[in-house]
Amino acid sequence: MVKRLIEPVVLFGGSFDPVHRGHLEAAREAAEQLSTRDIRLIPCHIPPHKDALKTKPSERVAMLELALADYPGFSIDRWELEQSKPSYTVDTLRRYREEIGAERGLVFLMGWDSLQTLPSWYDWQALAALTHFAVWRRPGYSALPKDVEHWLQGRRCSAEQLAAKPCGGVALLQTTPCDVSATQLRALSATGVSSPLLPEAVEQYIRQHKLYQNC
Ligand code: ATP
């Protein structure tokens, strides 16, 4: 067993438009497997890979704040929202490295779909020198592109093994699958149908603020 003296810093980036149980439960299970209570959710400002977001940054943050009431140890990092340029993960990770130093473990969480698109991320080859990755499967997503398979060689390890180094590993986690996306939940909200996969307080906020009416 690899002993870690200080918990890793665990980051989870996304558009969270809106945040839902798929995000939250996967991150909660990941936190358990990584033996940390410090999970920082990083809502992105202008996602480089997506169409324009449907809500304002302040609304996404408000929904995250409501949702996180049920998730002790989770916090929101607003740094990307404060930037005027696109949210490149590599910039966020460099900022964290400056803050926590070279030795502390840093783990970036992501679902399988994000792993599949990793080569399209800005300066993606620089990422593993800054952080570990912990990845979970997402229903409906299967094969990885060849360049990602190649990149994974020599990096794959267990969640526990990530503790041996500050960065460079990729752990494939077993989490409970939750077949939902923010896209589906926006469409449901537009028709006024509620979903147990949206935290109740988030659903109320969406109704009160009439969000996603044209989705
Ligand atoms: P959209 O439908 O708007 O594309 P999304 O629900 O896929 O949004 P994002 O905010 O784009 O969510 O995703 C952020 C991260 O959360 C990604 O790493 C993604 O893989 C992960 N994720 C999203 N939905 C789920 C889910 N149902 N289960 C597990 N992980 C998820």
Side-chain angles (χ1 to χ4, degrees):
M1 161 131 174
V2 187
K3 272 225 158 187
R4 188 201 296 276
L5 297 176
I6 310 178
E7 283 183 347
V9 175
V10 178
L11 309 179
F12 183 27
S15 33
F16 305 120
D17 191 22
V19 64
H20 53 69
R21 294 278 179 218
H23 300 127
L24 295 163
E25 287 301 306
R28 191 183 55 73
E29 290 185 30
E32 275 170 26
Q33 293 174 39
L34 295 165
S35 306
T36 186
R37 286 150 296 165
D38 183 357
I39 303 271
R40 311 201 189 164
L41 277 80
I42 310 180
C44 54
H45 190 192
I46 307 165
H49 309 107
K50 291 200 175 191
D51 297 338
L53 297 175
K54 309 295 179 198
T55 49
K56 292 184 258 182
S58 58
E59 292 167 332
R60 287 182 293 131
V61 168
M63 291 188 278
L64 275 167
E65 279 170 345
L66 291 167
L68 295 196
D70 296 338
Y71 292 83
F74 283 35
S75 59
I76 305 168
D77 176 339
R78 295 168 173 76
W79 184 78
E80 290 194 3
L81 295 180
E82 289 157 7
Q83 310 307 302
S84 52
K85 60 187 178 88
S87 313
Y88 292 125
T89 300
V90 71
D91 296 332
T92 304
L93 295 173
R94 287 197 178 114
R95 176 180 66 98
Y96 266 95
R97 270 288 157 228
E98 273 171 29
E99 192 184 310
I100 68 175
E103 299 305 320
R104 183 147 178 213
L106 186 60
V107 184
F108 194 87
L109 303 180
M110 59 167 65
W112 199 253
D113 52 311
S114 297
L115 181 62
Q116 285 178 319
T117 63
L118 201 62
S120 67
W121 293 26
Y122 181 73
D123 208 5
W124 76 288
Q125 294 284 6
L127 300 173
L130 295 161
T131 187
H132 290 304
F133 291 88
V135 185
W136 52 74
R137 291 195 182 271
R138 225 182 132 180
Y141 296 89
S142 52
L144 293 172
K146 282 216 161 50
D147 42 4
V148 177
E149 285 288 3
H150 181 73
W151 174 84
L152 274 176
Q153 283 168 22
R155 299 190 194 283
R156 281 183 70 155
C157 59
S158 66
E160 212 173 46
Q161 286 168 329
L162 295 183
K165 302 189 290 181
C167 57
V170 183
L172 301 185
L173 307 180
Q174 299 295 329
T175 58
T176 311
C178 178
D179 192 4
V180 71
S181 69
T183 306
Q184 291 164 357
L185 292 169
R186 290 193 296 270
L188 269 188
S189 298
T191 59
V193 176
S194 42
S195 165
L197 297 173
L198 267 182
E200 218 176 293
V202 172
E203 197 155 60
Q204 275 172 16
Y205 183 95
I206 291 172
R207 265 197 231 113
Q208 269 166 14
H209 294 260
K210 300 188 174 22
L211 304 182
Y212 308 123
Q213 298 218 314
N214 301 313
C215 291

